[in-house]
Amino acid sequence: MKALTLLPAGLVLLLLAPGCKTKDAAKCQQGLSTATRAAQQRQFAEARQWREYAYKQCEAGSASLSELDQAISKAEAEAQAQAAKVEQAKPLMNLISSFVAQHSASAEKAAAAAVCPKEGEPDHGWCTGTRSVKEGSASIQVRFKQGAPTVFRYVATGAGKGSCALLGGQQGRSWTVSQRSGGTAERSHCKLSGLDAVVSTTDTDTTVTVASPSFMAQDPNLKRQIESEGK
């Protein structure tokens, strides 16, 4: 009869064990939370690195790993959509910035066929008009004081998500307001070549309002908006 070969006792115990535990719950949670936080802060390279770490430390098939992947994918999609809106707004911001540079000293030539109501008519003393610029994707609404072309306001609206930085201005106060049509608008006060501007953005478009200091002295609505709206 052939003799049985005896295995070393230590090896027998290793084979009988249900399996070596190589995962670490604490490190798993660290990887999950750090990757999620990095994604929320749009630090996607770091998020992906911590995701790999989490996959090494968490149990395979964990629901937390699936949720992490969904969170990272969602954050990346939102960041891409936001970047696309910024790109979409660049033509508008370049348009208004260039327009202001050309017409910051006088608004009389800023609008073609400006309408100036006669004495006794509503809005007498003010002129309004529209300027369409071929290179841009939006028209500019012009308002100025009759006989005082340095008293002016320019307004333009276009698609995308603009900002003071895209306008080439220096950002001041930022605030959020509710809109009558629903939803909210994010607004920022900008200084642009000695003028005051408000950049107002929604989910779909941007409105830029630029006014001279002398305009706000005679029509203080924009000044009130800059100083107190949203407080």
Side-chain angles (χ1 to χ4, degrees):
M1 183 176 180
K2 189 175 180 180
L4 296 175
T5 302
L6 297 178
L7 297 175
L11 182 56
V12 172
L13 292 175
L14 181 62
L15 292 174
L16 293 176
C20 293
K21 187 175 182 179
T22 59
K23 306 296 185 180
D24 187 307
K27 292 181 179 180
C28 167
Q29 185 57 46
Q30 179 189 19
L32 292 170
S33 59
T34 307
T36 301
R37 185 165 58 251
Q40 291 172 344
Q41 296 173 352
R42 297 188 177 180
Q43 299 172 345
F44 297 116
E46 291 81 353
R48 291 292 176 184
Q49 291 174 355
W50 280 101
R51 173 192 176 275
E52 292 181 9
Y53 179 84
Y55 264 79
K56 293 177 181 178
Q57 301 299 334
C58 300
E59 295 294 338
S62 169
S64 297
L65 292 175
S66 178
E67 292 172 359
L68 173 62
D69 285 341
Q70 293 176 11
I72 293 176
S73 296
K74 181 181 178 181
E76 287 178 331
E78 290 175 348
Q80 291 171 0
Q82 187 76 0
K85 289 181 180 180
V86 171
E87 285 297 319
Q88 194 177 24
K90 284 183 178 181
L92 171 70
M93 309 309 282
N94 291 336
L95 167 65
I96 192 70
S97 180
S98 175
F99 186 84
V100 168
Q102 295 175 29
H103 302 286
S104 60
S106 175
E108 284 184 329
K109 298 180 180 180
V115 176
C116 303
K118 298 178 181 180
E119 186 174 356
E121 295 179 345
D123 210 26
H124 170 66
W126 291 95
C127 301
T128 58
T130 301
R131 179 66 176 269
S132 297
V133 182
K134 293 181 180 179
E135 295 80 3
S137 59
S139 60
I140 298 174
Q141 306 300 316
V142 177
R143 179 176 174 83
F144 63 92
K145 187 75 173 179
Q146 191 171 14
T150 59
V151 183
F152 63 82
R153 181 192 67 195
Y154 303 143
V155 181
T157 299
K161 193 173 184 67
S163 65
C164 285
L166 286 179
L167 190 62
Q170 181 179 1
Q171 182 168 320
R173 186 174 79 94
S174 295
W175 65 99
T176 301
V177 295
S178 298
Q179 300 185 104
R180 293 181 180 178
S181 58
T184 60
E186 298 175 3
R187 290 179 178 157
S188 295
H189 172 217
C190 307
K191 279 292 187 179
L192 181 66
S193 302
L195 306 176
D196 287 280
V198 172
V199 178
S200 180
T201 63
T202 67
D203 288 337
T204 58
D205 55 42
T206 294
T207 297
V208 181
T209 302
V210 181
S212 63
S214 51
F215 177 90
M216 292 198 297
Q218 298 195 38
D219 186 354
N221 291 326
L222 185 62
K223 183 178 180 181
R224 283 196 294 268
Q225 182 185 53
I226 291 171
E227 294 179 348
S228 60
E229 186 182 45
K231 289 186 175 179

